[in-house]
Amino acid sequence: MDTTRALSSAIALANQSASAMGHGPGSAGGTAHETLARFIAGVLAQQAAVPAGAPVQHPAVASRAGLLLADPVVPVGTGPIGVAITPNGNFAYVANNGSSTVSVIDTTTSPPSVVATVSGFNGPIGVAITPNGNFAYVTNGSGNTVSVVSTASNTIVGSPITVGANPFEIAITPNGATAYVANHGSGTVSVIDIGTNTVLATIGVGSLPNGVAVSPDGSTVYVSNSGSGTVSVIDTATNAVTATVGVGSTPIGVGFTPDGNFVYVANNGSGTVSVIDTTTGPPSVVATIPGFSTPAGVAVSPDGSRVFVVNFGANNVSVIDTATNTIIATLPVGTQPSRAAVTPDGNFLYVTNNGSNDVSVLQIRPIVDTITPPSGTTLGGDSITITGSGFTGVTSVTLNSTPVAGFTFIDDNTITATTPPHAAGTVQATVTTTLGSGTGGSFTFITPPPTITSINPVSGTTSGGTLVVITGTNFTGATAVSIAGTPVASFQVVDDTHIAAVTAAHAPGTGPVSVTTPGGTAIGPATYTYVTPVPTITGFTPTSGSTVGGTQVTITGTGLTGATAVSIAGVPAASFTVLNDTTIVATTAPHAPVSGPVSVTTPGGIATSATSYTYVTQVPTLTGIFPTSGPAGASTQVALSGTGLTGATSVMVNGTPVPYTVVSDNEILATLPPHAAGTVTVTVTTPGGSASIPFTYTRDRTQLTATPALVQLFPPQPHVGRLTATLTDLDTGLPIAGQPITFTTGSTTLCTSTTDAHGVAVCDALLALPLIILNGGYTVSYAGSPNYQPASAHGAVITL
């Protein structure tokens, strides 16, 4: 390109893109002529530096300290500004303002390249792609419209959508329903219904709106007003401005962090970036970051850790660490960079270079491809080689968050490292540089097989319980230990070379020791011998018990495991249980009074106690009787509880024998006969003696019933005036004879009559009928006796 052609191209580009870049007449960035002068200077400088016929290489390719050494540059149309990447990351769409085209870059090729050029636009500036990736919406800055491009065919579909004057940036809500367009020339934002591609609303904002961004949750839209130094906040539910935030001079680029909590605004005129906290009410600037040169576009990494700010005036990109809100790196790019976009995987940054008509593709974090060899021991210490790209300036290398034992940077594509100790399993490598971290590759930590060199001691009893220390290698993570083919009772890995194990019970014999870990099983060569111990008895308790047997005797000693017989005072135990090698619980059998030692027989021999156990005849005790009382007139079955009741010879009530049954040594069932009311003594006699307990006979419950008084004198009735009452024993159900019953009405006693054999008492009260009628009936009462409870009843009046 000669100087004349460069000048012509520069004039055309300056006229179309000066205002889009935030450098229109009166802006802080200078006039269109100043933009033109910078562009011409850049072109001439490149021509002077590059020999004739040599390919032009912009500064991004030359060197980036601490970063990738060479980045591809993709030539596009004239004056590129807006750039957007499809959700799948496969394509980048670039708005070429000067040539009124959109370049489609295939990001999957190496290097990326333009695979389609879409024409038919009018000074395009902004690009946004629907969340489903089907359409790209492009603002026509010189046509006051928005064009829709089908990404499937890379052609414009439908008619342009008319919006406000000089539309710049465009953003689409996460649900893909609505697009918001900043109309630079009319101070408004157009809201497009993507379903119908019609304008739903027009919202007034500040002066010269430029950048626009939708919050990740789709609830708000932030619009930078380059003419008024503010950001307008739009509520998408109402499409109304809810807040205006003052920022720096000539704000252009706007970008949300992925959590939606912060918005970064590039202040082109003041060379700063404002950080807006969106969580406060209203939103407010919480930080202002200096050090930029006419910043324009803003892009945020998918993880929110980095913000990339395009410096139009310095031909580079500043990288902000969002944790500290400081610039941590500066990346050279082409001439007059305008906008930027990060690929969805966070690996690459696409920067449009408005002055050099190309797009810089920057690798912004390491990419890890392979790890060789693919496996090593869990002990660590293995040498590995990590390959990929973007390793220049590496600060750390980890395997699943565990730092490697050491690493060496070989070149931008290669790192060698030493593995750390790590649990078994497959991990990935993470390489971290100033700009970020990349994770990939695959390395498997394999547990090494164990070995056994010796054990101590080499023998123990068949009852188990011997502590054995096993020495070897690679014991960490041991899952099983066996001695002579039998799993140990318990074990503990002391360290990688020692295991402490407790032997389990085992038959006599010799066998190898084995240790199993995730790395395999080691068997021998060390062996262990089980020997049968001779039993001993050190004591027992209690030392005596009843001749009826059933006493539990706890025997203590050693070598009791495998006991085959237990005798107490020469009598085989009714039953016994070996609790462990030192304890047996035996139950005595019935036996006549006798005294003798306790003996235990095991495969190792017979142990005999030094002291004796004594069978004694037990004196009986009575601790309870149920029920504790019963009626005087009826038999009552009671349960007698106590001890030593086996062999009972009699049960008596006040010296009179009664029927009984011995249920157990602790219970007797007896039938107590009728008896006068009062407390009696129940006595149980056994060969060991006698025991007594009181029982109370209570007065029988009674019931008195009265027949109604019959009233009819004429004609005379045989029963008129005759009153009768019946007395019954409720506990026996029998009538009670010979008891006095008193008949009264009101305060008048009619008569007293004695019950007959049927329990019936009769009172002739014909002359008293008028009084009985007057009192509404009569009353019969029984005063009770030593054996019977009182009772009363009311007799009604019946008129015949």
Side-chain angles (χ1 to χ4, degrees), residues 24-381:
S27 72
T31 65
H33 297 290
E34 291 171 331
T35 302
L36 171 63
R38 284 196 296 272
F39 177 75
I40 293 173
V43 172
L44 296 179
Q46 286 191 22
Q47 288 179 334
V50 180
V56 176
Q57 184 182 49
H58 68 62
V61 181
S63 174
R64 289 192 292 141
L67 302 171
L68 190 63
L69 296 181
D71 291 314
V73 177
V74 184
V76 290
T78 304
I81 300 178
V83 57
I85 299 174
T86 55
N88 62 11
N90 292 343
F91 297 95
Y93 283 70
V94 179
N96 303 308
N97 181 265
S99 56
S100 290
T101 60
V102 168
S103 296
V104 183
I105 300 173
D106 185 341
T107 66
T108 65
T109 60
S110 183
S113 59
V114 173
V115 293
T117 300
V118 186
S119 58
F121 304 95
N122 191 350
I125 295 177
V127 183
I129 298 176
T130 54
N132 61 13
N134 292 340
F135 298 98
Y137 280 65
V138 182
T139 60
N140 294 299
S142 301
N144 304 334
T145 58
V146 172
S147 296
V148 182
V149 176
S150 167
T151 57
S153 62
N154 283 324
T155 57
I156 296 176
V157 295
S159 301
I161 306 165
T162 301
V163 290
N166 305 123
F168 274 23
E169 301 275 350
I170 182 171
I172 297 174
T173 54
N175 62 6
T178 313
Y180 287 78
V181 182
N183 300 312
H184 189 74
S186 57
T188 61
V189 169
S190 295
V191 184
I192 298 175
D193 181 343
I194 289 181
T196 61
N197 283 334
T198 58
V199 174
L200 294 173
T202 301
I203 308 165
V205 289
S207 172
L208 303 178
N210 197 322
V212 58
V214 180
S215 62
D217 64 3
S219 63
T220 55
V221 175
Y222 277 58
V223 181
S224 62
N225 302 306
S226 61
S228 53
T230 61
V231 171
S232 297
V233 181
I234 298 172
D235 183 344
T236 58
T238 61
N239 281 329
V241 174
T242 59
T244 301
V245 185
V247 290
S249 173
T250 321
I252 297 182
V254 182
F256 272 94
T257 54
D259 59 12
N261 292 342
F262 297 96
V263 170
Y264 285 75
V265 181
N267 301 310
N268 185 268
S270 54
T272 61
V273 168
S274 296
V275 183
I276 300 175
D277 186 342
T278 67
T279 65
T280 60
S284 61
V285 173
V286 293
T288 300
I289 309 170
F292 304 91
S293 177
T294 56
V298 171
V300 183
S301 64
D303 63 5
S305 65
R306 302 289 185 264
V307 173
F308 301 91
V309 179
V310 174
N311 292 302
F312 181 84
N315 300 336
N316 58 35
V317 174
S318 295
V319 183
I320 298 173
D321 181 347
T322 58
T324 61
N325 279 330
T326 57
I327 298 174
I328 60 172
T330 301
L331 315 179
V333 289
T335 305
Q336 296 175 336
S338 177
R339 301 292 187 270
V342 181
T343 54
D345 59 14
N347 290 338
F348 296 95
L349 181 72
Y350 279 66
V351 181
T352 58
N353 300 308
N354 185 265
S356 51
N357 303 328
D358 53 27
V359 173
S360 294
V361 182
L362 310 181
Q363 184 174 338
I364 54 176
R365 69 175 186 179
I367 297 175
V368 179
D369 293 327
T370 62
I371 305 173
T372 54
S375 63
T377 174
T378 56
L379 302 177

Side-chain angles (χ1 to χ4, degrees), residues 540-542 544-555 565-579 583-591 598-600 613-615 665-666:
F540 58 88
T541 183
S544 64
S546 172
T547 55
V548 300
T551 302
Q552 282 198 334
V553 179
T554 300
I555 306 168
V566 175
S567 290
I568 299 175
V571 180
S575 64
F576 67 90
T577 301
V578 179
L579 298 184
T583 308
I584 291 177
V585 175
T587 302
T588 61
H591 198 273
V598 174
S599 67
V600 174
Y613 178 89
T614 302
Y615 277 96
D665 193 56
N666 303 108

Side-chain angles (χ1 to χ4, degrees), residues 431-450:
V431 175
T432 301
T433 66
T434 304
L435 294 185
S437 299
T439 300
S442 176
F443 183 84
T444 301
F445 283 96
I446 299 173
T447 303

